[in-house]
Amino acid sequence: MFGTRMAVTVSGFMLGVSVIIASFSTSIVMLTSILALTAGTALSVVPILIRALLGRRFTTNYGTAVGIGTAGGAVGMITVGPFTQLLLDTYGWRGALLILGGLFMHLGVCGALLRSASSDETNDSYQLVSTDANEEPQVGLSSAEETGNLKKSSRLSAFKDALSAQMKHFGFSVCFKFSFWITAVIFICRRFVVDQWMIYFISQAGVKDFSPYDAVTFTTAGGVGNVVTKILLGVIVDKGLLKLRPVIALMITLSSSAILITPWINSYWLMMVTTVVYFSSQGTLALLNDLYTRELLGPDLLTCAFAWMDLASAILSFSLGFFPGWMYDQTGSFDWAFFIIGCISALSLTALLMEWVQARCKPKQTA
């Protein structure tokens, strides 16, 4: 209805305005409502549309394009993290939100720089009615055939056709594809674990007697590793030097191991190393997951697939995102919480197992 350019532009300005308004909030209910309903909507819409746009536009060097295009999140960890801490110390949370809201307004400008749909998209569904100039249209015959077919079809089949058309229109039909759930398992587990790590890592570092500036240093180093590994691995996968699925399994193993051993890490440099390993492998896994999704579903279903996977991960985070904080309230430590998060991260390996089982079953069904 509106196209990627319009949606990203409006969402960008909406994000900036909502954060600015949140800086004037007078209660926790008002603050939460503004950020959840407006800022949260914008933050979910933009990544889905941009990632799907990359998948449709780059038929070659897709891994490199995604690696560069999604490196902004890691760059934000490097720059915005320390800058936000400086704003909090200097102006307090209200001033920090006000300045950050002004910076977030630039996202709307970035959206306006995208090419409009009329200039860069073609309607692949358009087909010529006839290529023969001497051929006459047979309106009466086609109408009679359609009328006969309608009479033969039952109400149940008509209802099924209408329901199927609506499901396809809203993109829900992609959820009935087994290949969708293969890639969705990786995305949902990764996204849930990343959200929990982002929320509770600073608190966990504080429990281990690290200062807030130490924690910011850890995340900054992790952001550097994220940018470097994401871009390099995108190029390597595009060149065919590494296979996609073994690299996905390796990144899942590295990220899960980094979280699982975090409760027993108390040294400054070991904490730095585990953070770099975790954030680099998780960022690379996000890149590989997009490549994996396009390979399994094709470029035309990327928007629907990303949207439904985002919704599923949001429901999971909303339902269980409190449990690390709850476990800390009960035990006074984040150790068990991070151990469980690491186990959830390792569950992503079941997706590759699902695909292997499906591949083994197909030859038997064919035979």
Side-chain angles (χ1 to χ4, degrees), residues 6 10 69 89 91 97 136 249 326 344:
M6 179 64 69
V10 173
D89 295 339
Y91 302 106
L97 284 178
E136 296 182 358
W326 176 81
I344 294 174

Side-chain angles (χ1 to χ4, degrees), residues 2 23 37 58 104 139 150 159 168-169 215 249 252 276 309 356:
F2 302 104
S23 67
L37 297 178
F58 287 88
F104 293 158
V139 179
L150 288 174
F159 174 77
K168 184 177 181 180
H169 177 72
I252 294 174
V276 171
M309 287 190 288
W356 179 79

Side-chain angles (χ1 to χ4, degrees), residues 144-185:
E145 291 178 353
E146 290 178 0
T147 303
N149 291 333
L150 288 174
K151 290 181 179 180
K152 293 179 181 179
S153 62
S154 63
R155 292 182 178 181
L156 181 61
S157 62
F159 174 77
K160 289 181 178 180
D161 293 340
L163 182 61
S164 176
Q166 290 300 318
M167 291 173 62
K168 184 177 181 180
H169 177 72
F170 288 101
F172 189 70
S173 58
V174 72
C175 297
F176 292 94
K177 294 180 178 292
F178 184 75
S179 55
F180 166 79
W181 291 106
I182 293 175
T183 182
V185 169

Side-chain angles (χ1 to χ4, degrees), residues 202-360:
I202 302 295
S203 299
Q204 193 219 31
V207 172
K208 292 178 176 291
D209 296 328
F210 293 109
S211 67
Y213 285 97
D214 290 336
V216 171
T217 303
F218 297 152
T219 57
T220 301
V224 174
N226 186 305
V227 172
V228 174
T229 56
K230 183 179 290 187
I231 296 177
L232 286 179
L233 203 57
V235 175
I236 291 173
V237 172
D238 280 339
K239 298 297 183 181
L241 301 178
L242 291 175
K243 298 298 183 181
L244 181 60
R245 286 155 182 78
V247 179
I248 291 177
L250 176 62
M251 294 300 109
I252 294 174
T253 303
L254 288 177
S255 61
S256 303
S257 301
I259 300 179
L260 287 171
I261 66 174
T262 297
W264 293 274
I265 299 298
N266 296 303
S267 169
Y268 180 90
W269 288 108
L270 286 178
M271 196 73 169
M272 179 81 74
V273 171
T274 54
T275 304
V276 171
V277 171
Y278 168 75
F279 210 67
S280 300
S281 56
Q282 278 288 359
T284 306
L285 184 59
L287 155 72
L288 298 173
N289 190 213
D290 284 1
L291 300 179
Y292 195 41
T293 303
R294 195 179 79 157
E295 180 178 322
L296 292 178
L297 299 176
D300 296 334
L301 296 176
L302 286 179
T303 304
C304 301
F306 290 152
W308 286 111
M309 287 190 288
D310 247 17
L311 177 61
S313 63
I315 293 173
L316 182 61
S317 295
F318 184 79
S319 303
L320 299 176
F322 67 90
F323 91 88
W326 176 81
M327 293 191 68
Y328 175 77
D329 292 338
Q330 300 297 317
T331 63
S333 172
F334 286 102
D335 291 349
W336 275 108
F338 269 71
F339 181 81
I340 294 174
I341 292 174
C343 293
I344 294 174
S345 178
L347 285 176
S348 301
L349 292 171
T350 59
L352 300 176
L353 179 62
M354 290 165 57
E355 186 184 23
W356 179 79
V357 172
Q358 184 191 34
R360 292 292 298 270

